[in-house]
């Protein structure tokens, strides 16, 4: 095997996340911890309002993680037992789990071959009298075809929600992910584009009542302070965002635009380099005029996926088959019974190449050279 020079490229370098700005992160953690405010203090307020400004949304509610953001969003939206919620089979289990635990039934449907996201026509075909809502999942940091989904939802009286865990700051036609429907949910899991040093998440909405309900639900159903019987209008849980995480996130948000710009720059390099490889299917590039993708991941498809993956591994390049190459509908033991051949075919051909803002130009060049070498 011809081994090329240059740096190794792990798919994701977890230690680099803190090392990136260790001195500042350390100072923030120290200041927050020594302030004595740990739960629902000013750091949480500060992050919520900074993110609300950033996204141009009325309300941000910081919570423990994105899965719980969706669970609380669904409960606060009044999902009822047996209500069906349609979502793409090409997604992570989290949204389906939230639907299940909110009492609903997740109904996975096919992806579109245009954008590899939920296919609006498949949504239309899956609507039954029990259908209550559509959950778009903006996989890889690319916004789903929301105009088509909103039209279909409007025709059938369905609510629209967004699993925007991978899409903080992504836009379509000038509108930001998470603001198309009743609410959107974000994840700050470490490897996400705005990653924390642990679990964290947020729900965003322009609906005052919904925001107030989720705010109460995240803290045992109480308002912001102590749990007092007369204040508990709803059943809640503990799903609070920690101050330590909020303080780190508020700081990372100050340079989030640079983070995204670097990801988009890498995506443009990949796109330019791979355009001449007909066997490789590429995602929409960062130059599309109507969309602003944030490239949580850079996903490619090809028939020789496993061989490509093995070749890159020998070259010291880490890749991932997202979600183990298994769509939601494959979790038969959880009650799914849909057949989604297009989604299966997609999972059999798709591969995530290294993509994050900490990659060096040398690492990006190594990925490009190695992919080209494979197809030469
Ligand atoms: C990461 C992720 C989630 C889960 O986020 P958590 O914060 O870990 O709960 C949900 N949906 C998608 C698409 C994700 O990528």
């Amino acid at each position: 095997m011809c081994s090329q020079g240059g740096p190794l490229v792990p798919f994701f370098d977890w230690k680099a996340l803190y090392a990136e700005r260790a001195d500042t992160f350390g100072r923030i953690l120290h200041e927050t911890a020594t302030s004595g405010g740990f739960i629902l203090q000013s750091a949480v307020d500060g992050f919520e309002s900074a993110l609300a400004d950033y996204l141009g949304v009325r309300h941000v509610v910081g919570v423990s993680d994105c899965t719980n953001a969706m669970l609380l969003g669904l409960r606060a939206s009044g999902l009822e037992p047996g209500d069906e919620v349609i979502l793409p089979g090409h997604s992570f289990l989290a949204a389906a789990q939230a639907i299940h635990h909110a009492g609903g039934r997740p109904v996975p449907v096919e992806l579109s071959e245009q954008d590899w996201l939920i296919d609006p026509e498949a949504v239309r075909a899956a609507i039954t009298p029990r259908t209550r809502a559509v959950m778009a999942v903006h996989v890889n940091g690319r916004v789903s075809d929301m105009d088509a989904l909103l039209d279909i939802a409007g025709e059938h009286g369905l609510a629209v929600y967004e699993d925007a865990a991978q899409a903080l700051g992504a836009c379509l036609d000038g509108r930001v992910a998470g603001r198309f429907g009743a609410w959107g949910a974000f994840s700050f899991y470490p490897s996400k584009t705005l990653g924390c040093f642990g679990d964290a998440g947020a729900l965003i909405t322009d609906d005052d009542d919904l925001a107030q309900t989720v705010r109460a639900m995240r803290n045992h159903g109480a308002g912001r302070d102590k749990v007092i019987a007369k204040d508990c209008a709803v059943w809640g849980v503990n799903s609070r965002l920690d101050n330590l995480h909020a303080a780190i996130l508020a700081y990372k948000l100050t340079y989030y635009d640079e983070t995204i710009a670097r990801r988009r720059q890498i995506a443009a390099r990949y796109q330019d380099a791979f355009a001449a490889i007909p066997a490789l299917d590429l995602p929409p590039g960062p130059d599309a005029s109507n969309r602003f993708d944030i490239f949580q991941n850079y996903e490619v498809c090809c028939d020789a996926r496993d061989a490509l993956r093995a070749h890159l591994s020998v070259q010291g390049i880490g890749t991932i088959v997202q979600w183990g190459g298994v769509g939601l509908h494959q979790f038969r033991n959880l009650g799914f019974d849909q057949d989604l051949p297009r989604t299966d075919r997609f999972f059999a051909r798709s591969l995530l190449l290294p993509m994050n803002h900490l990659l060096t130009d040398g690492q990006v060049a190594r990925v490009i050279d190695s992919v080209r070498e494979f197809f030469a």
Side-chain angles (χ1 to χ4, degrees):
M1 187 71 58
C2 148
S3 186
Q4 300 176 339
L8 299 183
V9 194
F11 181 76
F12 193 73
D13 183 355
W14 296 87
K15 285 190 177 167
L17 217 54
Y18 194 84
E20 183 194 4
R21 300 188 184 208
D23 290 349
T24 309
F25 293 146
R27 181 178 54 71
I28 292 169
L29 291 173
H30 180 77
E31 282 173 9
T32 311
T34 53
S35 77
F38 297 104
I39 302 290
L40 293 184
Q41 299 295 312
S42 59
V44 172
D45 290 343
F47 172 61
E48 289 179 345
S49 60
L51 186 59
D53 284 350
Y54 184 79
L55 296 174
V57 67
R58 277 178 73 77
H59 302 284
V60 171
V61 185
V63 292
S64 55
D65 57 82
C66 178
T67 311
N68 277 288
M70 292 189 279
L71 177 58
L72 299 187
L74 288 161
R75 285 192 172 152
S77 303
L79 200 75
E80 306 220 337
D83 281 350
E84 294 176 0
V85 181
I86 300 172
L87 76 172
H90 174 225
S91 68
F92 184 48
L93 254 186
Q97 288 167 331
I99 294 163
H100 172 82
H101 287 297
R105 192 166 92 83
V107 178
V109 298
E110 290 280 27
L111 49 62
S112 153
E113 261 152 11
Q114 307 308 309
D115 61 6
W116 302 345
L117 299 166
I118 189 169
D119 178 358
E121 286 314 311
V123 170
R124 191 192 294 281
I127 293 171
T128 74
R130 306 293 323 252
T131 306
R132 169 73 190 277
V134 180
M135 174 89 75
V137 183
H138 305 315
V139 183
N140 296 332
R142 182 159 66 247
V143 180
S144 312
D145 184 355
M146 295 310 293
D147 280 335
L149 291 176
L150 289 168
D151 282 350
I152 293 168
E155 282 167 36
H156 294 270
L158 310 177
V160 174
Y161 311 127
E162 295 170 75
D163 174 349
Q166 297 196 355
L168 183 76
C171 294
L172 180 64
D173 296 321
R175 298 177 69 189
V176 75
R179 286 198 66 206
F180 288 88
W183 50 259
F186 295 99
S187 173
F188 310 119
Y189 182 81
S191 60
K192 298 289 173 24
T193 52
L194 185 69
C196 213
F197 305 128
D199 278 313
L203 175 140
I204 69 167
T205 183
D206 289 307
D207 180 330
D208 297 350
D209 292 340
L210 188 98
Q212 200 185 354
T213 305
V214 174
R215 222 171 260 290
M217 281 179 164
R218 76 169 170 188
N219 188 31
H220 301 290
R224 88 164 279 135
D225 297 307
K226 296 202 189 70
V227 182
I228 301 170
K230 69 176 172 53
D231 291 342
C232 282
V234 292
W235 279 101
V237 293
N238 175 2
S239 188
R240 296 177 297 237
L241 171 66
D242 300 315
N243 270 32
L244 284 173
H245 288 152
I248 290 291
L249 289 167
Y251 171 62
K252 290 189 89 172
L253 189 60
T254 63
Y255 62 95
Y256 187 63
D257 283 343
E258 291 163 46
T259 305
I260 296 311
R262 176 62 179 158
R263 284 174 179 268
R264 287 170 53 82
Q265 187 181 51
I266 295 167
R269 297 228 170 111
Y270 282 162
Q271 205 79 7
D272 287 350
F274 302 152
I277 304 175
L280 200 59
D281 298 339
L282 305 180
D287 55 351
S289 60
N290 66 328
R291 48 167 68 254
F292 182 85
D293 296 351
I294 62 154
F295 292 94
Q296 165 70 54
N297 297 305
Y298 188 86
E299 189 159 37
V300 296
C301 290
C302 67
D303 292 338
R305 191 267 313 274
D306 292 338
L308 171 61
R309 190 167 192 218
H311 170 81
L312 294 177
S313 170
V314 170
Q315 303 288 335
I317 297 168
T319 58
I320 279 189
V321 176
Q322 190 155 224
W323 303 314
V326 176
L328 286 186
H329 58 294
Q330 296 291 359
F331 289 82
R332 300 292 190 196
N333 55 327
L334 298 182
F336 293 107
D337 59 2
Q338 291 79 8
D339 287 320
L340 305 178
R342 238 192 288 154
T343 301
D344 290 339
R345 182 175 133 82
F346 178 84
F347 271 118
R349 300 178 75 244
S350 75
L351 189 66
L352 302 184
L353 299 181
M355 166 56 82
N356 67 78
H357 70 287
L358 298 172
L359 292 176
T360 64
D361 287 343
Q363 288 177 311
V364 173
R366 186 182 178 103
V367 175
I368 288 173
D369 290 346
S370 302
V371 170
R372 278 188 173 145
E373 184 190 67
F374 177 77
F375 287 102

